[in-house]
Amino acid sequence: MKDKAGRFLRPADLIAVAAILLLAGALWLLTNSRQGETAEIVCDREVLYTIRLSEVKEPYEIRLENGITVAVEPGAVFFASSDCANQLCVRTGRLTRVGQSAACLPHKTLIRVTGRDKTAPDALTG
Amino acid sequence: MNEKHRQLTALTVSAILAAAALATSFFERTLTAGLPLPPGVKPGLSNVAVTFACAVLGLPYALAVTAIKAGFTLLTAGPTAALLSLCGGLLSVLTMYLLLKIKTGRLSYAGVSAVSGAMHNIGQLAAASAMVGSAMYLSWLPVLLLSGVGFGLLTGVILNAVMPALMKLKWFR
């Protein structure tokens, strides 16, 4: 115990922190780099809606039976309102990029943004 | 100090720690209530008590404190939040235990707490993903890792500061 006194941080602490930050950075680049193409609204593990975000011209709202309202905008989707207690889903904010998702856990409802078609390649080179 | 006395002391101290953890959680919630913190981002100051329990009393006591914390969340914030609290807490305590146990002697409480803070958020995310049946929030994980590490570091630095003083108490020897 004694060697811990009087010293707030050790080199190994900083290395551990740096490793996790590196991981976070890599994950960030991996998941938040591409503009989303498709949005899915999933309720109880069932995909209720699939929306092509690029084809959305006017903002509109989708009212779900469980008291949740999902807002759809050109290129973005988000929880507009929910009757749940914690409002975390609403606070997650707008989803625009591939891999982003938000959920209302009390209602088991999830919205997520994915790429074009999962089977189609992003690009082809000759 | 005989064995029975030691057990009694551990039991009493862990009860005090659990109470302190609950009080800290409550205080923290009041403090951050008005702040627009992103989902899942929390200081988690009560982990000072959990880490202390893990380091001084041992794994079972730390697990008990975690379970009591989750129980408190169940009462105040509902079953969803409680499950997240429990999953995050368990993963965090186990990580903490392993890191303290291997005693590389390299990591201080700040490092242990930072890593277990990140694991806490990973555990919560895993639980959330299981609940909706989709690997969700993967894009959100970087933000959570960042906050988990940052706040974990903060609570760890607090421990680094108070541990030497606490270890001087006759109780823990």
Side-chain angles (χ1 to χ4, degrees):
Chain A
M1 270 326 148
K2 256 193 190 114
D3 57 338
K4 278 172 181 146
R7 195 156 191 198
F8 291 118
L9 285 174
R10 295 189 186 174
D13 295 337
L14 297 177
I15 293 170
V17 168
I20 295 173
L21 291 186
L22 218 64
L23 180 72
L27 256 169
W28 179 263
L29 289 180
L30 249 150
T31 53
N32 290 281
S33 52
R34 279 192 302 140
Q35 191 72 34
E37 299 280 338
T38 316
E40 285 177 335
I41 303 177
V42 185
C43 204
D44 255 333
R45 293 158 196 259
E46 221 179 298
V47 180
L48 293 187
Y49 295 88
T50 305
I51 304 148
R52 297 210 132 239
L53 289 175
S54 50
E55 286 165 16
V56 177
K57 300 282 174 267
E58 291 289 313
Y60 63 94
E61 290 187 339
I62 298 173
R63 247 169 247 282
L64 303 178
E65 282 168 23
N66 54 20
I68 286 175
T69 306
V70 177
V72 184
E73 287 178 2
V77 62
F78 57 95
F79 280 101
S81 71
S82 163
D83 58 5
C84 65
N86 58 38
Q87 297 291 310
L88 281 180
C89 51
V90 177
R91 271 166 51 201
T92 304
R94 289 158 52 94
L95 313 176
T96 56
R97 301 191 170 273
V98 174
Q100 289 184 332
S101 55
C104 182
L105 294 179
H107 289 311
K108 291 205 163 58
T109 302
L110 164 82
I111 52 179
R112 63 179 168 221
V113 176
T114 54
R116 213 173 308 248
D117 209 322
K118 275 169 194 152
T119 51
D122 292 330
L124 283 176
T125 46
Chain B
M1 214 193 297
N2 61 33
E3 185 53 30
K4 199 157 188 190
H5 189 168
R6 192 178 291 278
Q7 277 180 7
L8 205 58
T9 309
L11 183 66
T12 316
V13 173
S14 60
I16 296 172
L17 286 174
L22 299 192
T24 318
S25 296
F26 183 75
F27 174 66
E28 177 184 300
R29 224 178 287 170
T30 333
L31 211 64
T32 55
L35 300 177
L37 286 180
V41 175
K42 272 197 279 190
L45 290 175
S46 65
N47 274 317
V48 173
V50 179
T51 315
F52 183 85
C54 197
V56 177
L57 304 175
L59 183 61
Y61 296 97
L63 288 174
V65 174
T66 305
I68 291 170
K69 268 181 65 178
F72 181 68
T73 311
L74 179 66
L75 292 177
T76 55
T80 314
L83 190 65
L84 294 187
S85 162
L86 191 64
C87 290
L90 286 180
L91 197 58
S92 154
V93 167
L94 291 175
T95 309
M96 203 179 270
Y97 173 72
L98 289 176
L99 289 178
L100 287 168
K101 181 154 200 200
I102 51 175
K103 274 213 177 38
T104 46
R106 312 273 179 268
L107 286 181
S108 76
Y109 289 110
V112 171
S113 178
V115 177
S116 66
M119 292 307 277
H120 193 280
N121 284 332
I122 290 176
Q124 285 186 318
L125 217 52
S129 299
M131 280 165 91
V132 292
S134 156
M136 62 162 304
Y137 276 145
L138 209 59
S139 64
W140 192 242
L141 189 55
V143 178
L144 291 181
L145 284 178
L146 202 71
S147 88
V149 165
F151 286 123
L153 208 57
L154 177 73
T155 56
V157 166
I158 295 175
L159 273 167
N160 275 351
V162 300
M163 277 308 250
L166 284 172
M167 292 316 285
K168 280 187 198 134
L169 294 177
K170 202 164 62 185
W171 286 0
F172 306 119
R173 267 192 245 135

